[in-house]
Amino acid sequence: MLAYFEALVNFLWGLPIIVIILGTGFYFTFKTGFFQVFHLKHIFSETIYKIIKKGNKAEGDGKGLITPFEAVATAIGGSVGVGNIGGVATAMAVGGPGSLFWLWIAAFVGMILKMAEVSLGVYYREKDEKGDPYGGPTYYMEKGLGEEKGHKWWLIPAAIFGGGIFSTFFITVQNYTVSEAVSAAFGIKIIYASIIYIVCNYILIIGGIKSLGKLAGKIVPFMCVFYVGAALYIIAINIGNLPATLGLVFKGAFTGTAAAGGFAGAAFSQVMRIGMARSVFSNEAGWGSSPMIHASAQTDHPIKQGLWGAFEVFIDTIVVCTLTCLVIIITGVWSSGATGATLTLNAFATGMGSASKIFIATGIFLFGVTTSSGWYAYYEIILRHLMKSSPKLKDGILKFYKIFYPVPGFVMVVMATTIGMPGSTVWLFADFTTAVPTFINIAVMLSLSGTFFKLFKDYKTKYILKEEVKPEDKIKVFYEED
């Protein structure tokens, strides 16, 4: 049965989805003049540098539930997490060092893809009965495909996308990955670690999206600095091995990786597939998840929030995932046969001593909790859209959802430990739940690319070229309407 499921996952993450990710990503890249390359400085100056200089404030007279930084902190909390630690470690264990190269390629196009989907999410957002803004892929499917283009069948991709996203609610790896790391580091049973994890989840989600934004704004910067600092230290003390490490990455990317130690070897197609899949699961570019929280941000232009999406991918994959992979390769543990969070813990223990397991496990715990809380917000937004015409029913469902949310993750831990499911098998479920919504979302983004390019032209004219927008180029702005 497992062999059939693995074959299905390999098919879903085969040539079609890789072509649509790379093809759409490079199309957006060419049409924006390689914006994520030539305007990288602008992306940073309008995101993190602005926060450092001006503080955590709304953009202009933008309206929303949370500030732009709280939105990106929640989104980074939802993406910089178990995918960066357990996910990329599994990529190393299954695909070898060459997988890192394909993580980079997916992240390169992912920066512009996430910029586009976040911008569309803000542009097509709408207010609920309380006047609070919500948005995301299902919203731009309804307004972009349905209202603007007149496609009555917009409900079909919206239903498939929503179903795909919600499948991650029942088939989730966050609790398992975190509990695995805590169990290995502190020597406690994985079930007990899982119980501690769900208690912390309840504490975080009780205040709703507004509260999550404020908490993420405090926790996420700390955990990123903490983890990045430890990784850089290990790379620095092993700097002599860095050239050979990069050699393994580039050689393995195009030739596959031969068997070594406990590593079974990987063909080129497997290296490419696993690298692309782990990149999307980690930074969520094209997946359609992050626009759901970004759409609630206080911003006065969709592209301004889209810049945060590009920044998010850069931090998540180009920085955090790369450092995780380099630590695993440079310490030589990538071929040990270990997988998931255990492999990452072993790499840090090799580089910094066994005591570091406790510190890294604590970091993984923080990553995992913010990941789960970020996804709590995503599911809530889909539910709000689904039941927007029935406020009383919506309130009841949301109350039940808040209570039930951490349960499926705990069930996954119980199943994995009861039947002895290895970490690589658990991550097959993650790949399955990522593929379908990603395919649908990117196809819709491609259909709505004209709107994104109009938004991009408007932003570039106003804020980069600092010129007046011509009357014929002015765009209708959904998110400003009452």
Side-chain angles (χ1 to χ4, degrees):
M1 185 69 180
L2 180 60
Y4 290 112
F5 182 66
E6 187 172 0
L8 173 62
V9 172
N10 288 339
F11 170 76
L12 290 173
W13 272 105
L15 189 61
I17 196 168
I18 289 175
V19 167
I20 195 172
I21 289 174
L22 293 180
T24 305
F26 279 113
Y27 171 65
F28 278 52
T29 297
F30 285 124
K31 287 286 286 184
T32 58
F34 285 81
F35 183 80
Q36 71 271 47
V37 177
F38 297 113
H39 291 281
L40 185 63
K41 182 180 177 181
H42 179 80
I43 292 172
F44 276 88
S45 66
E46 293 300 308
T47 53
I48 194 65
Y49 293 159
K50 184 172 285 187
I51 291 296
I52 293 171
K53 187 177 180 180
K54 296 184 178 180
N56 185 16
K57 298 178 182 177
E59 286 285 357
D61 58 353
K63 299 175 182 178
L65 276 175
I66 52 180
T67 67
F69 179 68
E70 287 171 354
V72 80
T74 304
I76 288 179
S79 58
V80 176
V82 298
N84 304 74
I85 298 164
V88 298
T90 303
M92 293 293 101
V94 175
S99 301
L100 175 57
F101 176 84
W102 294 107
L103 256 83
W104 288 336
I105 296 298
F108 171 72
V109 298
M111 287 181 70
I112 202 71
L113 284 175
K114 183 167 275 196
M115 179 177 162
E117 62 183 337
V118 167
S119 300
L120 291 172
V122 173
Y123 179 67
Y124 288 111
R125 67 184 179 179
E126 63 181 38
K127 297 172 184 176
D128 68 0
E129 67 279 0
K130 296 178 182 177
D132 295 327
Y134 294 95
T138 56
Y139 288 82
Y140 53 70
M141 289 174 198
E142 178 183 11
K143 289 181 175 291
L145 295 180
E147 294 182 18
E148 283 187 346
K149 294 183 178 292
H151 298 316
K152 295 180 180 178
W153 46 261
W154 71 267
L155 273 168
I156 297 173
I160 296 172
F161 172 84
I165 287 291
F166 253 93
S167 66
T168 65
F169 175 70
F170 298 100
I171 306 174
T172 175
V173 299
Q174 278 84 7
N175 192 321
Y176 175 84
T177 302
V178 173
S179 300
E180 177 193 21
V182 172
S183 174
F186 292 92
I188 63 175
K189 289 186 176 180
I190 193 170
I191 292 292
Y192 297 153
S194 179
I195 292 171
I196 295 170
Y197 183 77
I198 63 174
V199 168
C200 289
N201 263 304
Y202 279 122
I203 293 171
L204 274 177
I205 66 179
I206 198 167
I209 291 177
K210 231 179 227 187
S211 174
L212 283 175
K214 295 185 184 304
L215 286 168
K218 292 178 174 64
I219 295 174
V220 170
F222 164 75
M223 72 183 192
C224 285
V225 171
F226 171 80
Y227 187 80
V228 167
L232 286 174
Y233 170 76
I234 293 175
I235 293 169
I237 63 175
N238 291 279
I239 196 69
N241 296 329
L242 187 58
T245 295
L246 294 175
L248 287 172
V249 171
F250 288 105
K251 181 181 178 182
F254 299 100
T255 63
T257 308
F263 178 73
F268 164 72
S269 59
Q270 186 179 24
V271 174
M272 184 180 186
R273 182 193 71 79
I274 198 72
M276 294 284 294
R278 289 296 176 268
S279 180
V280 173
F281 187 87
S282 178
N283 61 47
E284 301 176 18
W287 195 355
S289 51
S290 291
M292 291 185 270
I293 192 66
H294 281 284
S296 294
Q298 299 162 350
T299 185
D300 58 4
H301 198 288
I303 298 293
K304 283 187 180 180
Q305 197 62 32
L307 297 177
W308 279 105
F311 169 78
E312 195 178 301
V313 174
F314 184 89
I315 293 298
D316 179 280
T317 307
I318 303 299
V319 177
V320 181
C321 281
T322 296
L323 291 176
T324 300
C325 290
L326 290 179
V327 167
I328 290 171
I329 303 168
I330 209 166
T331 55
V333 302
W334 66 272
S335 60
S336 64
T339 62
T342 300
L343 178 57
T344 303
L345 284 176
N346 290 347
F348 277 90
T350 301
M352 298 177 68
S354 58
S356 67
K357 279 190 175 184
I358 295 174
F359 296 105
I360 299 304
T362 302
I364 291 173
F365 186 86
L366 290 174
F367 276 125
V369 169
T370 54
T371 298
S372 291
S373 60
W375 274 84
Y376 169 84
Y378 302 158
Y379 300 133
E380 178 178 323
I381 289 166
I382 288 180
L383 288 172
R384 285 180 178 277
H385 190 197
L386 181 65
M387 297 176 291
K388 66 178 182 180
S389 58
S390 305
K392 288 185 178 179
L393 176 62
K394 179 176 67 177
D395 289 343
I397 293 292
L398 289 177
K399 286 177 182 177
F400 173 77
Y401 163 65
K402 187 174 287 187
I403 296 170
F404 185 69
Y405 173 68
V407 174
F410 179 70
V411 172
M412 175 67 82
V413 172
V414 173
M415 287 176 57
T417 53
T418 302
I419 65 177
M421 190 186 299
S424 57
T425 301
V426 174
W427 279 95
L428 278 176
F429 290 108
D431 290 344
F432 174 76
T433 57
T434 309
V436 174
T438 299
F439 192 94
I440 294 295
N441 183 52
I442 292 181
V444 172
M445 286 169 58
L446 198 55
S447 177
L448 298 176
S449 60
T451 301
F452 168 70
F453 294 135
K454 286 180 182 178
L455 290 169
F456 177 78
K457 183 179 181 181
D458 180 82
Y459 177 85
K460 187 175 181 180
T461 302
K462 287 179 181 175
Y463 299 102
I464 297 179
L465 300 178
K466 300 188 184 302
E467 299 174 355
E468 288 290 326
V469 178
K470 296 178 182 178
E472 62 269 24
D473 290 333
K474 287 188 176 179
I475 51 178
K476 179 183 178 182
V477 183
F478 276 105
Y479 66 92
E480 287 182 350
E481 294 183 346
D482 292 322

